C-alpha cells in the first residue's frame, strides 16, 4: 500500500509543512511507487542541488508515473550532471548587478530585493541554483544599506520581493520591510515574486494578507505555475483570498521540455489561471544554467507554440514569450 497521505497536510501550519518536506530521493521514489533504477542519478544530482518537495505539492503528483509533469520539476536526474555547451553557473551575470547585499538593480525603475534565500521547493531548472545566497542574507541592520540605495534613486518606483522565495520569510519580517519601503515616497508599487502560494497554499495566511493590504503601496504578486495540475482547489482558495484583498495577480511560467511544451497544456494553464483570478504574464525561455539543459525547448518550437496560443485564446490569456539576456535593459521578447 502506498501511504503518501500519511502526513495529513491540511492540519499543518505552513512552517510545519516546510519543515516536513521530503528531502530524500529514495523516500520520494518509494512514496510514488517508482523504480529504484532512477535512484543513482537522483542521488548524484541531489548532491549538487538537493531534492526538496513539500507533501502538499507531492499530493498533486500521480503515483507510478516517472513522466508526471510535476515530478519532472522536482526529481533530481543524472542528466543534470552532464556538461552542456553554453550552460553556466551564472548565466544572467547577476553576481555583477548585485552592488549591495540583497539588492539587484538591473532594470530601469525596478529593484529586486532578495528577501529570503530559501525556497519551499527546489525546481530542477532553477536559474538561482548556483547563486551565492550565503552572501545575500541581510539582517535588519544590513537592510538599511539597501533601503538607503532605494531612497537615493528617485527613478525607482517599484520594489520587487524576490529570492529564493520571499514568502519563505516570516510575515513579521515582511511587514517590517514593507513598512520601511513604504516610507520612501518615490516608491509606488510593491511586487512579490513567489512560488509559495502554488507549492504550499496555506502560506497565504491572514497576517500575510495584512501586510500586503495595510500598505499605501499598490501591490501585485507574480506567482509561478508551470502546469494546470498545480492549480488544485487549495491553490484556487489561496489565490481567491489574495485577489479579494486587492492584490493584482499575474503568473510566470518557464517553458520546459516534457512538462509544458505542448499546446493543449499551455491552453489549459492559461484557462485555469483565469478561472482562479490570475492573468498570464511571462512565458520564459529557460536560462542556460548548468544542470538544466535537458529542459531546453528550441526557440522555433517556442514561437510556434505561442503563435498557436494566439490563434486559439483571447489575447489577454497569451503570455509574452521572453528570454533574459545578461546585458539587456529588460526581458527580451522572442518575436
Ligand atoms: C525580471 C526582473 C525584473 C522585473 O522585470 P519586469 O519586466 O518588470 O517583470 C526586475 N529586475 C530583475 C533583475 C529581473 O530579473
Ligand atoms: S521556487 Fe523559484 S527560486 Fe525557488 S527553486 Fe523554484 S524556481 Fe527557483
Amino acid at each position: 500500500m502506498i501511504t503518501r497521505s500519511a502526513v495529513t497536510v491540511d492540519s499543518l501550519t505552513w512552517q510545519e509543512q516546510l519543515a516536513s518536506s521530503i528531502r530524500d530521493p529514495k523516500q520520494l521514489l518509494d512514496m510514488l511507487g517508482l523504480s529504484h533504477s532512477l535512484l543513482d542519478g537522483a542521488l548524484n544530482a541531489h548532491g549538487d542541488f538537493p531534492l526538496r518537495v513539500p507533501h502538499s505539492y507531492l499530493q498533486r503528483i500521480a503515483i507510478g508515473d516517472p513522466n508526471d509533469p510535476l515530478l519532472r520539476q522536482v526529481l533530481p536526474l543524472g542528466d543534470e550532471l552532464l556538461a552542456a555547451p553554453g550552460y553556466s553557473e551564472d548565466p544572467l551575470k547577476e553576481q555583477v548587478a548585485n552592488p549591495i547585499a540583497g539588492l539587484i538593480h538591473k532594470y530601469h525603475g525596478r529593484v529586486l530585493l532578495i528577501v529570503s534565500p530559501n525556497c519551499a521547493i527546489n525546481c530542477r531548472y532553477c536559474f538561482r541554483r548556483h547563486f551565492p545566497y550565503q552572501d545575500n542574507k541581510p539582517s535588519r541592520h544590513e537592510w538599511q544599506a539597501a533601503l538607503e540605495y532605494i531612497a537615493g534613486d528617485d527613478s525607482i518606483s517599484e520594489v520587487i520581493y524576490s529570492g529564493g522565495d520571499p514568502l519563505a520569510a516570516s510575515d513579521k519580517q515582511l511587514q517590517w520591510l514593507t513598512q520601511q519601503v513604504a516610507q520612501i515616497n518615490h516608491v509606488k508599487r510593491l511586487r512579490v515574486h513567489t512560488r509559495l502560494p502554488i507549492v504550499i497554499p496555506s502560506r497565504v495566511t491572514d497576517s500575510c494578507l495584512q501586510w500586503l493590504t495595510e500598505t499605501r503601496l499598490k501591490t501585485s504578486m507574480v506567482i509561478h505555475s508551470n502546469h494546470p495540475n498545480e492549480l488544485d482547489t487549495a491553490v484556487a482558495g489561496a489565490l481567491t483570498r489574495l485577489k479579494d484583498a486587492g492584490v493584482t495577480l499575474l503568473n510566470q511560467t518557464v517553458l520546459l521540455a516534457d512538462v509544458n511544451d505542448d499546446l493543449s497544456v499551455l491552453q489549459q494553464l492559461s484557462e485555469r489561471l483565469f478561472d482562479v483570478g490570475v492573468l498570464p504574464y511571462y512565458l520564459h525561455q529557460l536560462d542556460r544554467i548548468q544542470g538544466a539543459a535537458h529542459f531546453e525547448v528550441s526557440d522555433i518550437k517556442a514561437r510556434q507554440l505561442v503563435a498557436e496560443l494566439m490563434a486559439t485564446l483571447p489575447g489577454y490569456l497569451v503570455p509574452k514569450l521572453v528570454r533574459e539576456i545578461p546585458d539587456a535593459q529588460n526581458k527580451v521578447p522572442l518575436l
Side-chain angles (χ1 to χ4, degrees):
M1 251 285 278
I2 289 159
T3 54
R4 74 173 166 159
S5 302
V7 176
T8 41
V9 291
D10 304 336
S11 61
L12 300 179
T13 64
W14 68 271
Q15 293 93 338
E16 289 166 339
Q17 289 201 44
L18 269 185
S20 66
S21 296
I22 294 150
R23 295 153 184 273
D24 173 1
K26 182 169 178 299
Q27 188 190 2
L28 179 70
L29 293 176
D30 288 345
M31 290 180 95
L32 292 171
L34 293 171
S35 154
H36 282 192
S37 63
L38 294 162
L39 189 56
D40 276 353
L43 285 171
N44 285 333
H46 165 77
D48 185 47
F49 180 51
L51 166 79
R52 181 176 183 133
V53 53
H55 288 270
S56 51
Y57 193 83
L58 185 73
Q59 283 183 325
R60 291 168 251 167
I61 299 178
I63 301 279
D65 179 5
N67 299 317
D68 180 278
L70 276 53
L71 178 68
R72 280 187 60 82
Q73 297 179 53
V74 297
L75 177 66
L77 292 180
D79 285 359
E80 294 174 24
L81 301 171
L82 303 173
Y87 280 70
S88 74
E89 299 211 338
D90 183 21
L92 304 181
K93 302 205 175 78
E94 286 196 332
Q95 292 170 34
V96 180
N98 194 206
I100 290 178
L103 182 144
I104 299 176
H105 190 188
K106 262 172 66 174
Y107 296 166
H108 179 81
R110 290 149 288 172
V111 292
L112 283 191
L113 294 183
I114 310 280
V115 173
S116 165
N118 303 317
C119 289
I121 191 167
N122 283 345
C123 310
R124 306 315 300 175
Y125 53 84
C126 183
F127 68 104
R128 296 193 190 280
R129 63 188 279 170
H130 303 288
F131 195 78
Y133 281 116
Q134 325 63 279
D135 310 331
N136 280 282
K137 273 191 267 186
S139 60
R140 273 194 191 193
H141 172 67
E142 287 163 323
W143 275 125
Q144 289 309 335
L147 292 162
E148 278 164 26
Y149 178 94
I150 299 168
D153 181 347
D154 65 10
S155 74
I156 298 169
S157 55
E158 181 163 1
V159 170
I160 303 174
Y161 291 174
S162 183
D165 197 311
L167 291 187
S170 70
D171 287 320
K172 204 170 152 207
Q173 283 174 285
L174 289 158
Q175 179 182 43
W176 176 84
L177 186 61
T178 304
Q179 285 165 351
Q180 305 305 304
V181 171
Q183 282 173 21
I184 304 170
N185 279 331
H186 53 260
V187 178
K188 306 266 183 279
R189 294 182 300 278
L190 171 69
R191 192 194 318 180
V192 183
H193 273 216
T194 174
R195 190 149 156 72
L196 253 157
I198 301 295
V199 178
I200 303 179
S202 61
R203 175 63 186 90
V204 182
T205 54
D206 291 342
S207 49
C208 174
L209 294 173
Q210 199 183 337
W211 61 262
L212 275 167
T213 52
E214 73 188 4
T215 177
R216 72 168 177 85
L217 302 166
K218 296 284 181 213
T219 50
S220 64
M221 188 175 279
V222 180
I223 60 167
H224 172 179
S225 176
N226 297 320
H227 195 281
N229 292 0
E230 291 176 343
L231 302 169
D232 67 2
T233 50
V235 172
L239 295 172
T240 303
R241 279 157 59 76
L242 286 162
K243 182 131 197 250
D244 289 350
V247 180
T248 298
L249 295 177
L250 300 167
N251 179 64
Q252 55 182 343
T253 296
V254 181
L255 188 58
L256 298 167
D258 300 323
V259 173
N260 58 16
D261 60 337
D262 175 88
L263 178 61
S264 146
V265 168
L266 291 174
Q267 283 169 334
Q268 288 172 49
L269 177 58
S270 276
E271 303 247 8
R272 180 72 183 140
L273 283 166
F274 188 76
D275 285 346
V276 298
V278 184
L279 285 174
Y281 182 36
Y282 283 138
L283 179 63
H284 290 270
Q285 268 294 41
L286 191 73
D287 297 313
R288 295 205 168 100
I289 187 84
Q290 168 61 41
H294 59 291
F295 284 118
E296 178 158 327
V297 177
S298 72
D299 285 356
I300 292 173
K301 181 165 185 187
R303 287 193 190 93
Q304 174 73 29
L305 284 165
V306 172
E308 287 169 346
L309 285 178
M310 289 180 76
T312 51
L313 289 175
Y316 60 86
L317 290 187
V318 182
K320 288 186 200 116
L321 178 64
V322 291
R323 162 169 286 131
E324 221 167 313
I325 294 180
D327 301 316
Q329 302 296 301
N330 49 266
K331 314 246 187 265
V332 178
L334 266 85
L335 301 169

